[in-house]
Short mmCIF file of all heavy atoms in Angstrom, two decimals:
data_model
loop_
_atom_site.label_atom_id
_atom_site.label_comp_id
_atom_site.label_asym_id
_atom_site.label_seq_id
_atom_site.Cartn_x
_atom_site.Cartn_y
_atom_site.Cartn_z
N THR A 37 0.88 -3.82 2.84
CA THR A 37 2.00 -3.37 1.84
C THR A 37 3.15 -4.23 1.90
O THR A 37 3.62 -4.83 0.99
CB THR A 37 2.40 -1.92 1.97
OG1 THR A 37 1.15 -1.01 2.04
CG2 THR A 37 3.31 -1.50 0.89
N ILE A 38 3.69 -4.32 3.22
CA ILE A 38 4.92 -5.26 3.42
C ILE A 38 4.66 -6.63 2.94
O ILE A 38 5.44 -7.23 2.19
CB ILE A 38 5.26 -5.24 4.86
CG1 ILE A 38 5.73 -3.81 5.38
CG2 ILE A 38 6.33 -6.25 5.15
CD1 ILE A 38 5.90 -3.72 6.86
N ASN A 39 3.56 -7.22 3.39
CA ASN A 39 3.37 -8.70 3.21
C ASN A 39 2.90 -9.01 1.84
O ASN A 39 3.29 -10.14 1.24
CB ASN A 39 2.49 -9.25 4.27
CG ASN A 39 3.13 -9.27 5.62
OD1 ASN A 39 4.07 -9.94 5.82
ND2 ASN A 39 2.70 -8.43 6.56
N LEU A 40 2.11 -8.15 1.23
CA LEU A 40 1.76 -8.43 -0.20
C LEU A 40 2.94 -8.24 -1.08
O LEU A 40 3.16 -9.09 -1.99
CB LEU A 40 0.69 -7.43 -0.65
CG LEU A 40 0.20 -7.34 -2.10
CD1 LEU A 40 -0.15 -8.70 -2.53
CD2 LEU A 40 -0.79 -6.30 -2.42
N ALA A 41 3.80 -7.24 -0.83
CA ALA A 41 5.06 -6.97 -1.62
C ALA A 41 6.00 -8.25 -1.53
O ALA A 41 6.51 -8.80 -2.44
CB ALA A 41 5.73 -5.79 -1.11
N ALA A 42 6.19 -8.74 -0.25
CA ALA A 42 7.09 -9.95 -0.06
C ALA A 42 6.46 -11.22 -0.63
O ALA A 42 7.23 -11.94 -1.32
CB ALA A 42 7.22 -10.18 1.44
N SER A 43 5.13 -11.35 -0.64
CA SER A 43 4.50 -12.42 -1.30
C SER A 43 4.67 -12.38 -2.81
O SER A 43 4.94 -13.43 -3.46
CB SER A 43 3.08 -12.45 -0.93
OG SER A 43 2.83 -12.67 0.44
N LEU A 44 4.47 -11.22 -3.36
CA LEU A 44 4.70 -11.10 -4.82
C LEU A 44 6.15 -11.33 -5.19
O LEU A 44 6.52 -12.02 -6.17
CB LEU A 44 4.26 -9.73 -5.29
CG LEU A 44 2.87 -9.34 -5.27
CD1 LEU A 44 2.62 -7.78 -5.33
CD2 LEU A 44 1.94 -9.99 -6.41
N ALA A 45 6.99 -10.99 -4.45
CA ALA A 45 8.44 -11.18 -4.65
C ALA A 45 8.74 -12.78 -4.47
O ALA A 45 9.51 -13.30 -5.28
CB ALA A 45 9.36 -10.50 -3.65
N THR A 46 8.11 -13.44 -3.56
CA THR A 46 8.31 -14.86 -3.46
C THR A 46 7.73 -15.59 -4.66
O THR A 46 8.32 -16.59 -5.13
CB THR A 46 7.56 -15.31 -2.11
OG1 THR A 46 7.91 -14.47 -1.10
CG2 THR A 46 7.89 -16.81 -1.88
N LEU A 47 6.70 -15.05 -5.26
CA LEU A 47 6.16 -15.54 -6.51
C LEU A 47 6.94 -15.08 -7.75
O LEU A 47 6.35 -15.03 -8.81
CB LEU A 47 4.70 -15.21 -6.63
CG LEU A 47 3.74 -15.83 -5.47
CD1 LEU A 47 2.38 -15.17 -5.42
CD2 LEU A 47 3.69 -17.30 -5.56
N GLU A 48 8.10 -14.65 -7.51
CA GLU A 48 9.07 -14.29 -8.51
C GLU A 48 8.58 -13.04 -9.44
O GLU A 48 8.98 -12.93 -10.53
CB GLU A 48 9.36 -15.50 -9.57
CG GLU A 48 10.06 -16.61 -8.73
CD GLU A 48 10.25 -17.80 -9.45
OE1 GLU A 48 9.80 -17.84 -10.68
OE2 GLU A 48 10.93 -18.70 -8.96
N LYS A 49 7.98 -12.12 -8.88
CA LYS A 49 7.69 -10.81 -9.38
C LYS A 49 8.76 -9.84 -8.84
O LYS A 49 9.15 -9.94 -7.71
CB LYS A 49 6.24 -10.27 -9.04
CG LYS A 49 5.17 -11.22 -9.46
CD LYS A 49 5.12 -11.22 -11.00
CE LYS A 49 3.95 -12.21 -11.50
NZ LYS A 49 4.13 -12.46 -12.95
N LYS A 50 9.05 -8.93 -9.69
CA LYS A 50 9.98 -7.79 -9.20
C LYS A 50 9.18 -6.74 -8.59
O LYS A 50 8.21 -6.15 -9.31
CB LYS A 50 10.71 -7.16 -10.35
CG LYS A 50 11.84 -8.14 -10.98
CD LYS A 50 12.80 -7.31 -11.79
CE LYS A 50 13.48 -8.05 -12.92
NZ LYS A 50 12.80 -8.35 -14.07
#
Side-chain angles (χ1 to χ4, degrees):
T37 306
I38 292 172
N39 289 294
L40 173 57
S43 300
L44 288 165
T46 309
L47 298 168
E48 296 177 354
K49 298 295 176 194
K50 290 201 206 75

